[in-house]
Amino acid sequence: MKNGPTKLVHVAAWAWTLGGIQSTLRHHRQFDAKLGFDSRFIALFDQSVLAPGDQLVRARGGQLVGSIRRRFQRLAEPHQDAVFIYHDGWGLRWWADGDGASRRIVFLHTEVPQLDGLLRDFAPRVDGFVCVSQALRDRVTRVVPEFPRERCVALPFFVETPVLPSRPKPRADRPWIIGYAGRLERAHKRVERLPELVERLTDAGVDFEMEILGDGQLRPFLEKRLGGNVRVHLCGDRRGAAYWDTIRRWDFVTLVSDYEGFSRATMEGMKVGALPVHPEFSNAAREVLGPLGKYGLYPTGDMEACADCIRRYTRLTETQREKLQDEAFQHLQNHTVDHYETAFKAAVNHLIALPGRAETPSPGWWENSLPLGAFTRLFSKRF
């Protein structure tokens, strides 16, 4: 490798939407330089630049795959010999032969349902995997056992909390506050399940309020189903101090997703005292909850079981709940920005010190001839 800062190119499907990957990218914009990396960012689907130096492919469903590939190659050309980091590896089969990378890394954030097939497709094209959980690393080594284990690294995925005033204790004369934070969408997040959760909790006689943070395509649906319910507050997109001022009041932070990676929303809630209620869709779910897994995990998609988790928490004494809050905080002590930065720098430097192994097979000519939207619909398990 050349002297001077190591050149990195972060490639992501989306760089500026709400989500864990996008939050991670914002941090890399801030700290990569101090770690000795000269970083650039390429987004595939964003249509406008929100940070100086970001480059956009501006891919759309109606464009031919071949034209999108050529656009990507033009953007990648000035960064020949850089280390390319593909966040979740979206479309890697199309970009790999044109990036000119000295090393190619897939940064795994999410355990999508088709992940096993993607890992088999990624493995010959990459020099290493970086994973947000030990569970994800274990999955890589199980699915592609031939991939060298030393080239697959788990990081302590991070959550950064501001200094907050002490959290108000639950009182007998107020409802329990249940919070959701994330994109309001059906795919992945499955927030159309929230109305059923409200019904289950109401039928069970739980005295609660629900605060829903975020925005997205299903906001009109939630407004129609829940807008008249005095227990439910659709808070919109809150960031910075407004976000933290909201979640520090929560008693419980809940997800209703079909899959995640290592949920940052859950970690943030746990860091400020909210007890987690989380679908048990993979070993990573138990990993993020740690000692609270015996209370807060429920079968994916089962809103009655989700409500049962909340009821179990409410039946604990205040002392028992405080003990769980302390255990959750201690469990996440290592998941800080400082630890993540140190581990990320070490992982990248470790992978680039190893001999290159990535192949760069070109996609078939017929792939280039299809519109992107048609390809992803016909072969949805490849994305």
Side-chain angles (χ1 to χ4, degrees), residues 243-257:
Y243 174 80
W244 291 105
D245 286 345
T246 300
I247 70 168
R248 65 178 290 270
R249 297 173 51 250
W250 293 353
D251 298 295
F252 314 113
V253 55
T254 187
L255 288 180
V256 290
S257 331

Side-chain angles (χ1 to χ4, degrees), residues 36 89 97 108 125 180 183 191 224 245 296 300 330 352 377:
D97 71 330
L108 293 170
R125 293 179 167 87
Y180 168 85
R183 298 186 302 279
V191 297
K224 182 177 180 180
D245 286 345
T300 304
Q330 292 300 321
I352 64 179
R377 283 193 298 272

Side-chain angles (χ1 to χ4, degrees), residues 42-323:
I42 298 177
L44 303 177
F45 293 106
D46 289 277
Q47 299 299 310
S48 58
V49 174
L50 296 179
D54 277 17
Q55 296 175 295
L56 305 181
V57 178
R58 293 192 173 91
R60 295 181 181 272
Q63 295 174 319
L64 297 181
V65 169
S67 67
I68 298 171
R69 289 184 67 237
R70 289 189 291 274
R71 169 68 175 165
F72 178 85
Q73 289 169 357
R74 288 195 295 272
L75 295 179
E77 188 174 2
H79 311 299
Q80 298 291 302
D81 296 326
V83 178
F84 274 65
I85 300 178
Y86 290 89
H87 292 266
D88 271 347
W90 201 97
L92 179 62
R93 62 184 294 113
W94 295 329
W95 325 127
D97 71 330
D99 59 15
S102 63
R103 297 290 187 274
R104 192 176 299 119
I105 299 168
V106 165
F107 193 144
L108 293 170
H109 297 259
T110 314
E111 290 197 77
V112 295
Q114 66 274 25
L115 182 60
D116 288 0
L118 291 175
L119 292 176
R120 296 185 187 101
D121 192 56
F122 294 157
R125 293 179 167 87
V126 301
D127 297 288
F129 290 99
V130 171
C131 308
V132 296
S133 69
Q134 185 61 45
L136 255 176
R137 182 183 184 275
D138 291 344
R139 186 166 179 176
V140 174
T141 58
R142 172 177 57 80
V143 174
V144 282
E146 70 279 8
F147 194 86
R149 294 178 68 89
E150 70 273 15
R151 292 178 179 267
C152 190
V153 182
L155 303 181
F157 200 46
F158 66 98
V159 57
E160 184 177 21
T161 55
V163 178
L164 297 170
S166 60
R167 185 176 183 276
K169 294 181 179 180
R171 301 188 306 274
D173 60 349
R174 71 158 174 83
W176 300 98
I177 302 177
I178 302 166
Y180 168 85
R183 298 186 302 279
L184 303 185
E185 63 177 33
R186 184 182 303 272
H188 182 185
K189 296 298 183 182
R190 299 303 302 270
V191 297
E192 79 279 5
R193 292 170 173 158
L194 289 175
E196 182 187 353
L197 177 58
V198 170
E199 291 175 9
R200 299 288 188 181
L201 290 166
T202 302
D203 292 344
V206 177
D207 184 19
F208 74 96
E209 292 182 1
M210 180 175 288
E211 295 185 343
I212 301 173
L213 292 184
D215 209 345
Q217 294 178 342
L218 283 194
R219 177 157 186 163
F221 166 83
L222 294 175
E223 288 174 339
K224 182 177 180 180
R225 291 288 304 275
L226 298 173
N229 191 322
V230 295
R231 294 179 181 270
V232 180
H233 310 282
L234 290 162
C235 303
D237 178 17
R238 295 183 181 178
R239 304 193 186 193
Y243 174 80
W244 291 105
D245 286 345
T246 300
I247 70 168
R248 65 178 290 270
R249 297 173 51 250
W250 293 353
D251 298 295
F252 314 113
V253 55
T254 187
L255 288 180
V256 290
S257 331
D258 275 346
Y259 57 90
E260 294 281 341
F262 208 69
S263 170
R264 181 172 272 124
T266 298
M267 295 170 68
E268 289 170 342
M270 291 168 64
K271 276 279 198 171
V272 295
L275 299 176
V277 183
H278 196 293
E280 191 173 12
F281 33 61
S282 77
N283 289 336
R286 189 166 293 277
E287 187 178 336
V288 69
L289 265 64
L292 276 67
K294 59 186 175 182
Y295 292 98
L297 291 172
Y298 70 90
T300 304
D302 188 339
M303 291 301 97
E304 184 171 0
C306 181
D308 284 342
C309 282
I310 294 170
R311 283 202 300 271
R312 284 198 298 272
Y313 279 135
T314 64
R315 292 169 182 162
L316 299 174
T317 66
E318 183 174 309
T319 300
Q320 288 172 322
R321 287 191 297 274
E322 288 179 347
K323 183 175 184 294

